[in-house]
Structures are given as structure tokens and as C-alpha cells.
Amino acid sequence: DQQVKQNSPSLSVQEGRISILNCDYTNSMFDYFLWYKKYPAEGPTFLISISSIKDKNEDGRFTVFLNKSAKHLSLHIVPSQPGDSAVYFCASPHNAGGTSYGKLTFGQGTILTVHP
Amino acid sequence: EPEVTQTPSHQVTQMGQEVILRCVPISNHLYFYWYRQILGQKVEFLVSFYNNEISEKSEIFDDQFSVERPDGSNFTLKIRSTKLEDSAMYFCASSGQILYNEQFFGPGTRLTVL
């Protein structure tokens, strides 16, 4: 029962180029999404979020796009840096029924590798 | 910058033993969570805690698990009788609001059950 899905387990990008990480969700009632970055042996670190009243949110090199009709969001990192190499998770604070109690449902994660 | 802390960083225990994982959430946060990540799998929600009681728990959080906020700063997860399949990274998180607000995660405790 994957309510939030990241279908690409890994992504490899050259330094300076754009990294695009994708995430799909199943329930159109989901209205808030977060991206977290995780290094090995560390906890997830919040990156950026987006509410369904927007279709784009930007913070420095990170931009998240939300396509509600496609139930799809993406995280763009421009320009990519070697220090961005980590696992990226999308998450939503909703359960399958669309009722939110604050718990986060995570995607499986995408391993981003940025080569110098 | 305030952060969530967790102790110990690594806990090794024998199957059937009790373990207590400790967390100090960010001081002005009101909502507390435990998640776990089994090696190679995604991060899974265990339990949320607000106003000194559990607000939601997952199917994983059975009678062997309990949470407590024994004082104004600590938040603990107890596993009464550990099983091999409890081996995982356990993350504590806290947030200032329940909705539309990021959760801040601690560095995790690696639990190894032998």
C-alpha cells in the first residue's frame, strides 16, 4: 500500500547540472508534501515543502513543483553539488484515507550521486 | 540552532531483553514521533504523542512498544521484549504544529538485536 512512491531508486548527475527527483502520490486529498535529505548514519533533514494551494516553491537551489492533476511532485536541484549526494525522500502527513494526524508517510527514497 | 538529540547512538541487545531509546525533542515543540528504518527499507511511522498521550500508532506499534515523556524534556521508546526483526534505525522527531509543519528528526539510534 504505497501512498507515496518514488519509482527511481537512484540518480547520477554531473556537478553543476540539474537533478530532478520525482515522487507520485495516490490520494488527491493529500495537500501538503515535504522533501527530506538523509546522509548515512544521520536522521532525515527537512529540505523544502509545498502546499497544494501552490504549484511551485523555491528555496535557493531547491525548487519543488506540484502537479495536482497528475498527483506528481518533483524536486529540482540547480546547480547540483557533490555535497548534495544523499538519499532524498518525499513525504506527506496523510494516511491512505486522506485524514491527517501529523504522521509522515515516506516514499522509498532516491539515492542521488553528484559526480565532480 | 535547536536540534533533536537521541541516545544511545548504537544499542546492542539480546533477543528478549528490554531496551529504552531516549530522545530530547526541541524544547518548544509539542508533538513527538518515533519512526524506524529497517536496513534497505523506507522510513516507517511508529507512533505520535501529544499532550502526554498517544495520538496515533501504526500496526508495528504493538503491546511490546510503549512511549513515555517522563519529564519536561525527555521522550522515550521502550521495547519490552526485543525480537530479531526489531533491529533497525529508530528516529525520534518533533514538531511545533501537527499540520503543515516540518518535523525535525534526531540522528537516530541503531538497534541491533542478537
Side-chain angles (χ1 to χ4, degrees):
Chain A
D1 182 13
Q2 295 183 16
Q3 303 135 48
V4 180
K5 294 181 285 186
Q6 293 174 259
N7 293 317
S8 299
S10 63
L11 175 68
S12 183
V13 172
Q14 204 69 29
E15 181 179 7
R17 301 289 190 108
I18 184 171
S19 296
I20 300 176
L21 299 134
N22 294 303
C23 180
D24 298 297
Y25 59 97
T26 55
N27 193 319
S28 57
M29 292 179 66
F30 288 13
D31 62 359
Y32 187 67
F33 302 90
L34 308 96
W35 283 95
Y36 282 85
K37 177 171 74 173
K38 185 181 179 305
Y39 293 117
E42 293 186 13
T45 302
F46 171 74
L47 270 178
I48 192 169
S49 62
I50 189 165
S51 164
S52 62
I53 62 173
K54 295 183 172 182
D55 53 17
K56 175 183 172 181
N57 189 25
E58 191 171 355
D59 184 2
R61 296 187 297 115
F62 302 92
T63 303
V64 57
F65 296 91
L66 177 60
N67 182 334
K68 291 183 283 293
S69 61
K71 299 195 189 74
H72 176 85
L73 62 152
S74 60
L75 174 68
H76 292 213
I77 306 173
V78 182
S80 301
Q81 299 172 355
D84 296 329
S85 298
V87 182
Y88 288 78
F89 295 95
C90 63
S92 180
H94 289 272
N95 63 20
T99 306
S100 174
Y101 297 101
K103 76 171 191 182
L104 292 178
T105 298
F106 284 84
Q108 301 92 318
T110 298
I111 301 170
L112 174 65
T113 304
V114 180
H115 299 283
Chain B
E1 186 174 326
E3 59 181 14
V4 177
T5 59
Q6 290 185 243
T7 54
S9 57
H10 191 189
Q11 174 91 48
V12 181
T13 189
Q14 294 291 324
M15 189 170 56
Q17 295 297 304
E18 174 184 286
V19 294
I20 297 176
L21 309 183
R22 291 183 166 81
C23 168
V24 179
I26 293 172
S27 62
N28 62 346
H29 283 182
L30 301 175
Y31 301 90
F32 313 111
Y33 309 85
W34 283 101
Y35 294 83
R36 79 173 185 189
Q37 186 181 29
I38 294 171
L39 188 64
Q41 299 185 23
K42 61 180 180 179
V43 177
E44 300 175 287
F45 168 81
L46 290 178
V47 65
S48 58
F49 191 86
Y50 168 69
N51 200 25
N52 280 321
E53 61 181 26
I54 291 173
S55 48
E56 188 176 9
K57 59 184 180 180
S58 72
E59 293 173 354
I60 303 166
F61 195 89
D62 61 22
D63 292 344
Q64 294 301 311
F65 291 85
S66 62
V67 289
E68 194 177 36
R69 188 156 162 82
D71 53 44
S73 59
N74 291 285
F75 180 49
T76 62
L77 174 70
K78 182 193 291 186
I79 309 175
R80 289 188 184 82
S81 178
T82 50
K83 301 188 276 283
L84 294 175
E85 54 265 37
D86 293 328
S87 295
M89 282 290 290
Y90 287 80
F91 297 105
C92 172
S94 69
S95 68
Q97 300 174 40
I98 196 167
L99 290 177
Y100 310 120
N101 196 274
E102 63 266 28
Q103 293 176 20
F104 293 84
F105 284 76
T109 293
R110 177 171 297 283
L111 176 65
T112 302
V113 182
L114 303 175

